[in-house]
Amino acid sequence: QAAAQVIPAVRLQREADQFQELFPDWSYEDAFQKVMLTWFKKDFFKWVNKAKCSQCGSANTQAVPGAPPTQEELQYGARNVEVYKCQDCPGSGRFPRYNAPLKLLETREGRCGEWANAYACLCRAVGFETRKIHDSTDHVWVEIWSDAKDRWVHADPCEAAMDSPLLYEKGWGKKLQYIFATGKDSCEDVIRRYTGKLPEVKTRRTKV
């Protein structure tokens, strides 16, 4: 319920209606998913490369060895805390890598792992069956079950991209190896969905 409250449902319903008018072959649920991805990226969540200084607010900071998490940070799954020394004052900034979805809906910032955790939480809050996708070459996103398509659909909140599974190989130039989907009761190798070069990918899959 707390997750659903942060979603501007009326606005997204209106935008989904407008999207469906332009693309009538899309189901309403898929159209809603598409506009929710756009809202999440543009208006809700923020990418963090490094922490700002907590003392002066400067973004001119430099990474230094991390710090142990506080009890509160541990409570929300932040076993790793990055620290950045300010170059403009004696202060520094902390970037706890939270895993707890509700905490991420409060902070509204992070990198791809935080983006995927928070977005998956919101998707489930509005009734979408959702699973997380883990790419061994360092990226995380989600898949949503589409009744209209009768299959899992790629959804990357960092890119506001939907049903574009070749984005990473063709668009980013990634040399993919392993991609796994993890759901409530399952773990599945889904590399075939994300590559058009399976024989080449197989040569890089050397881990037992």
Side-chain angles (χ1 to χ4, degrees), residues 24-133:
D25 54 325
W26 282 59
S27 71
Y28 176 79
E29 289 74 18
D30 289 349
F32 188 92
Q33 179 65 221
K34 178 62 177 174
V35 300
M36 189 163 81
L37 275 166
T38 302
W39 160 77
F40 186 88
K41 176 177 173 61
K42 291 186 175 181
D43 299 335
F44 187 75
F45 224 70
K46 181 178 67 174
W47 185 268
V48 173
N49 283 318
K50 55 184 182 178
K52 293 182 179 180
C53 177
S54 60
Q55 184 168 320
C56 72
S58 172
N60 183 22
T61 58
Q62 186 171 357
V64 295
T70 65
Q71 285 301 311
E72 181 180 2
E73 289 164 346
L74 279 173
Q75 179 183 347
Y76 296 110
R79 292 184 293 272
N80 176 31
V81 178
E82 299 175 9
V83 177
Y84 294 83
K85 179 73 175 67
C86 185
Q87 304 301 293
D88 296 328
C89 83
S92 63
R94 293 168 65 90
F95 178 30
R97 303 303 302 275
Y98 292 119
N99 278 302
L102 291 181
K103 182 63 175 180
L104 293 172
L105 297 184
E106 175 188 324
T107 63
R108 301 187 182 189
E109 64 178 19
R111 302 196 191 113
C112 62
E114 289 90 348
W115 283 62
N117 275 345
Y119 191 70
C121 177
L122 294 181
C123 288
R124 292 171 180 141
V126 293
F128 286 103
E129 188 177 355
T130 308
R131 61 185 186 178
K132 288 180 63 178
I133 309 299

Side-chain angles (χ1 to χ4, degrees), residues 10 14 16-17 23 32 34 40 49 56 80 85 93 95 101 117 139 148 169 173 182 193 200 203:
V10 173
R14 181 177 65 252
D17 287 336
F23 303 97
F32 188 92
K34 178 62 177 174
F40 186 88
N49 283 318
C56 72
N80 176 31
K85 179 73 175 67
F95 178 30
N117 275 345
H139 193 42
E169 188 174 73
T182 56
R193 179 175 298 121
E200 178 184 316
T203 67

Side-chain angles (χ1 to χ4, degrees), residues 16 19 23 25-39 41 119 123 128-129 141-168 193-194:
F19 186 93
F23 303 97
D25 54 325
W26 282 59
S27 71
Y28 176 79
E29 289 74 18
D30 289 349
F32 188 92
Q33 179 65 221
K34 178 62 177 174
V35 300
M36 189 163 81
L37 275 166
T38 302
W39 160 77
K41 176 177 173 61
Y119 191 70
C123 288
F128 286 103
E129 188 177 355
W141 59 93
V142 304
E143 285 183 347
I144 309 298
W145 180 260
S146 168
D147 287 333
K149 293 180 171 63
D150 194 30
R151 62 176 171 83
W152 290 101
V153 172
H154 156 259
D156 188 336
C158 296
E159 296 289 323
M162 181 174 174
D163 208 12
S164 302
L166 298 183
L167 166 68
Y168 313 107
R193 179 175 298 121
Y194 292 94

Side-chain angles (χ1 to χ4, degrees), residues 11-23 35:
R11 167 189 160 182
L12 295 185
Q13 288 164 359
R14 181 177 65 252
E15 291 179 0
D17 287 336
Q18 295 168 348
F19 186 93
Q20 203 176 21
E21 289 178 6
L22 294 173
F23 303 97
V35 300

